[in-house]
Amino acid sequence: LGGVTSEIYKSYFKSVGGYSFVVTTLSCFAIEITLRTMADWWLTTYSRGQTLSWSPKYFLSIYLITVLVSIAFSIFKTVLMSVGSLRACKKFHEGMLRRVFHAPMSFFDTTPSGRVLNRFSKDQNGIDDQLMFSLFMFLNQSFVAIGVFIVVSFVTPLFVSLLMPLGYLFYYSQQYYLTSCRELQRIESITRSPIYAQLSET
């Protein structure tokens, strides 16, 4: 009950910059993780003495280029998500403000003023500040986990057999957490609205 539908996600992605923006951002995440993994592999290969025929200068040049390009993609994805977050925040705020200004008087007769203020304060702050940060951390950790799974599966193929039960366990834990978190968030929003209403009326 009260789950976020796919239409909400589509609306947010369109506000951020559209599907091309999403694909570009995801590509930056993937390239950065790939380059980071390649840099670790390159360092491991050199430390094992498998590149004795190469000069240290050649090794350091390749390693430095890989790390610098990885950092460049990391900065680029951060800037992209920041710009997209600002664009989405502006569109959502303008749309909400426009709807309130054009709402009939019956809306204000039946809707407490604290609920309206709550939308423009705490809920808008969640979109401005918390949502993009949470999305950034989710994408970053997801791509890191995918990279680790690929490397570990390549080195230890037996690990693949454990992915299915582990995936089911994490999925079950996620669903339990989302249900509890959603209900707590709803209770928090309901209890905050009368406080805003009291402050605005006094």
Side-chain angles (χ1 to χ4, degrees):
L1 180 65
V4 181
T5 62
S6 59
E7 295 299 325
I8 302 298
Y9 288 107
K10 291 180 181 179
S11 176
Y12 183 75
F13 289 148
K14 289 180 180 179
S15 300
V16 167
Y19 294 104
S20 59
F21 180 90
V22 174
V23 172
T24 303
T25 305
L26 293 179
S27 300
C28 289
F29 274 96
I31 294 173
E32 184 214 351
I33 296 301
T34 302
L35 291 174
R36 190 189 304 177
T37 304
M38 290 177 58
D40 293 340
W41 170 80
W42 187 256
L43 184 62
T44 303
T45 302
Y46 182 80
S47 63
R48 290 179 178 177
Q50 301 177 6
T51 58
L52 296 178
S53 59
W54 298 342
S55 64
K57 183 178 180 180
Y58 174 77
F59 162 77
L60 290 176
S61 299
I62 299 298
Y63 182 75
L64 182 62
I65 291 174
T66 305
V67 171
L68 289 178
V69 175
S70 175
I71 293 174
F73 273 98
S74 177
I75 296 174
F76 184 62
K77 75 179 183 183
T78 303
V79 173
L80 271 180
M81 295 198 70
S82 299
V83 173
S85 176
L86 291 174
R87 186 185 296 122
C89 295
K90 182 179 179 180
K91 288 186 177 180
F92 273 97
H93 184 269
E94 290 179 349
M96 184 168 55
L97 192 63
R98 190 182 306 111
R99 287 175 179 268
V100 171
F101 282 162
H102 291 83
M105 289 304 299
S106 59
F107 170 79
F108 298 98
D109 292 336
T110 58
T111 304
S113 58
R115 187 175 302 172
V116 178
L117 291 174
N118 190 25
R119 295 296 179 265
F120 280 95
S121 55
K122 177 64 177 177
D123 292 346
Q124 184 65 36
N125 177 69
I127 299 177
D128 294 346
D129 186 30
Q130 301 174 8
L131 181 58
M132 186 54 68
F133 177 76
S134 299
L135 183 60
F136 179 86
M137 295 301 298
F138 168 74
L139 291 176
N140 191 66
Q141 296 303 320
S142 296
F143 276 95
V144 169
I146 292 173
V148 170
F149 285 153
I150 293 176
V151 173
V152 173
S153 300
F154 179 79
V155 176
T156 310
L158 184 62
F159 178 74
V160 180
S161 61
L162 300 176
L163 290 181
M164 291 298 293
L166 285 176
Y168 176 78
L169 179 62
F170 279 114
Y171 178 78
Y172 177 79
S173 302
Q174 178 201 31
Q175 295 301 312
Y176 182 80
Y177 166 77
L178 286 178
T179 303
S180 304
C181 182
R182 188 184 303 124
E183 294 300 323
L184 289 175
Q185 183 65 38
R186 181 179 292 111
I187 294 174
E188 181 187 5
S189 299
I190 293 174
T191 55
R192 189 186 299 109
S193 296
I195 298 176
Y196 283 126
Q198 179 69 19
L199 290 175
S200 64
E201 293 172 358
T202 58

